[in-house]
Amino acid sequence: MKTLEQDFEILKARFDDFKTLDLEKLTKKKSYLCAFNSKMIGFVYKAKTRFLSKDASFLEKLLEQIFKEKILEKNEITQKYFICKAPLCSKARKFLEEKGFSVYALV
């Protein structure tokens, strides 16, 4: 929880409004954290390995699965954020930006 608070301070967002989303039901990967509020959703990649384009497509599929499972409504979310704590591939960054994510790399 403390990690999410520190990461979302970068976005100048108040963490009080956020709820964490347990991703264990959707994926076995433990390198992702997720938080959301009424307007936005944010993902944090906390692994130490490089974030590649295959990881970016996985993240997009994970978001689609969240909407499909009706955990969140697609029309409520207006902003999507991705925070990466590892080296970030330029193709992955471009892919996420094309999908509407605001991307922040913290290396």
Side-chain angles (χ1 to χ4, degrees):
M1 188 75 132
K2 193 78 165 168
T3 310
L4 277 173
E5 288 179 25
Q6 292 168 348
D7 294 334
F8 280 101
E9 281 179 18
I10 294 163
L11 305 176
K12 307 265 189 275
R14 286 191 16 237
F15 195 76
D16 303 339
D17 303 355
F18 286 90
K19 298 175 189 156
T20 57
L21 182 62
D22 185 18
L23 297 175
E24 288 182 7
K25 299 172 187 170
L26 303 173
T27 182
K28 291 183 180 182
K29 293 186 179 186
K30 297 184 182 203
S31 54
Y32 293 94
L33 300 173
C34 180
F36 66 95
N37 66 11
S38 60
K39 298 178 190 170
M40 62 181 266
I41 187 166
F43 292 94
V44 177
Y45 181 70
K46 62 180 183 169
K48 296 182 181 181
T49 58
R50 187 172 176 91
F51 189 83
L52 302 172
S53 55
K54 67 176 183 170
D55 299 314
S57 62
F58 169 78
L59 185 65
E60 179 64 23
K61 289 177 185 172
L62 182 63
L63 183 61
E64 289 174 11
Q65 193 174 1
I66 289 171
F67 293 143
K68 185 179 178 183
E69 297 284 329
K70 303 225 185 264
I71 298 170
L72 292 174
E73 292 295 324
K74 193 171 192 172
N75 57 359
E76 292 177 358
I77 303 299
T78 58
Q79 300 170 336
K80 299 182 279 188
Y81 293 98
F82 175 69
I83 299 170
C84 185
K85 294 186 166 189
L88 179 63
C89 172
S90 60
K91 290 179 184 176
R93 180 185 199 105
K94 185 178 178 183
F95 176 82
L96 289 175
E97 288 173 347
E98 287 174 358
K99 296 294 182 178
F101 281 87
S102 296
V103 180
Y104 298 89
L106 309 173
V107 180

